């Protein structure tokens, strides 16, 4: 791994370490090691990993094919530790995951949906970036999103061009909002 990342340099950076841990087949130990690494403090008492380092890690992991199984776990852990990361994730990273067909891996898709639920309404534009069948599918699988997503879509301040919303999504919302509003 060191040679692949650094050529002849034997030093492993903190970013390299986290990326390497995502390549391990022992997911339980890798997850514990990642959690431990992120819990470490720098010599000045702050987090050992800066926002720039976290973004670098996430962008590197996004280049993997297939995506690492621990990606969404790491992402959610980072988002809870680094609140400023939420904007980057909601505006760019989730879209990149959609472009990688995140729904094709059940474990990653489950983490993606958790992220969409946990960070709503910031994640609502992401739902509209999904293919039509997955727009409805995520709402069927996560019914707690139906009412707030519908309200966001219909809000005058919503940035969505209403003409761009699929008929299947509008039909689904029309059929389901009333029974979930309580």
């Amino acid at each position: 791994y060191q040679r692949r990342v650094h050529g002849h340099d034997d030093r492993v950076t903190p970013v390299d370490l986290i990326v390497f841990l995502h390549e391990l087949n022992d997911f339980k130990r890798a997850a514990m090691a990642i959690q431990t690494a992120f819990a470490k403090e720098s010599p000045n008492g702050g987090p050992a990993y800066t926002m720039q380092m976290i973004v670098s890690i996430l962008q590197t992991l996004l280049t993997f094919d297939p995506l690492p199984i621990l990606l969404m776990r790491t992402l959610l852990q980072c988002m809870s530790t680094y609140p400023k990361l939420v904007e980057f994730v909601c505006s760019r990273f989730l879209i990149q995951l959609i472009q990688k067909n995140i729904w094709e891996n059940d474990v990653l898709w489950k983490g993606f949906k958790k992220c969409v639920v946990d960070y709503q309404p910031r994640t609502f534009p992401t739902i509209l970036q999904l293919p039509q069948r997955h727009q409805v599918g995520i709402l069927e699988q996560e019914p707690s999103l139906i009412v707030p997503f519908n309200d966001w879509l219909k809000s005058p301040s919503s940035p969505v061009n209403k003409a761009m919303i699929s008929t299947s999504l509008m039909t689904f919302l029309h059929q389901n909002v009333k029974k979930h509003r309580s």
Side-chain angles (χ1 to χ4, degrees):
Y1 174 78
Q2 291 174 1
R3 291 202 192 293
R4 185 174 55 154
V5 173
H6 294 291
H8 298 295
D9 190 348
D10 288 337
R11 290 175 290 161
V12 175
T13 68
V15 170
D16 296 335
L17 173 64
I18 299 298
V19 170
F20 170 73
L21 290 171
H22 280 82
E23 293 184 281
L24 297 178
N25 289 328
D26 186 340
F27 301 127
K28 186 175 181 180
R29 285 190 181 178
M32 288 185 335
I34 292 165
Q35 185 172 347
T36 300
F38 282 140
K40 295 284 184 199
E41 291 186 356
S42 68
N44 66 6
Y49 287 84
T50 65
M51 276 284 297
Q52 183 179 4
M53 293 166 85
I54 298 298
V55 169
S56 177
I57 290 165
L58 294 173
Q59 289 298 109
T60 301
L61 294 175
L62 196 59
T63 66
F64 283 32
D65 187 20
L67 294 171
I69 205 76
L70 293 175
L71 174 63
M72 293 308 297
R73 184 183 189 283
T74 299
L75 177 69
L76 289 162
Q77 180 181 355
C78 290
M79 289 174 72
S80 67
T81 305
Y82 303 90
K84 291 181 180 179
L85 186 63
V86 173
E87 187 58 39
F88 163 76
V89 169
C90 292
S91 66
R92 295 198 354 228
F93 194 77
L94 293 178
I95 303 302
Q96 292 173 307
L97 290 173
I98 291 170
Q99 293 166 349
K100 294 261 192 185
N101 300 332
I102 188 79
W103 54 86
E104 291 178 354
N105 180 299
D106 291 339
V107 173
L108 296 175
W109 181 236
K110 182 178 178 182
F112 182 92
K113 292 183 295 184
K114 179 169 178 31
C115 186
V116 170
V117 170
D118 289 355
Y119 292 95
Q120 62 178 297
R122 287 180 169 161
T123 54
F124 288 164
T126 304
I127 293 173
L128 295 173
Q129 297 297 316
L130 288 163
Q132 286 185 18
R133 74 178 195 273
H134 294 295
Q135 290 175 6
V136 171
I138 198 169
L139 296 171
E140 287 174 332
Q141 295 164 16
E142 300 295 337
S144 66
L145 291 171
I146 294 172
V147 171
F149 179 72
N150 182 70
D151 293 347
W152 174 80
L153 273 179
K154 293 186 176 184
S155 166
S157 62
S158 173
V160 177
N161 177 349
K162 308 299 189 251
M164 300 302 289
I165 301 170
S166 71
T167 304
S168 60
L169 180 60
M170 291 309 294
T171 301
F172 174 82
L173 289 170
H174 179 74
Q175 293 171 348
N176 287 277
V177 167
K178 285 183 184 174
K179 66 180 165 188
H180 289 283
R181 195 180 294 279
S182 49

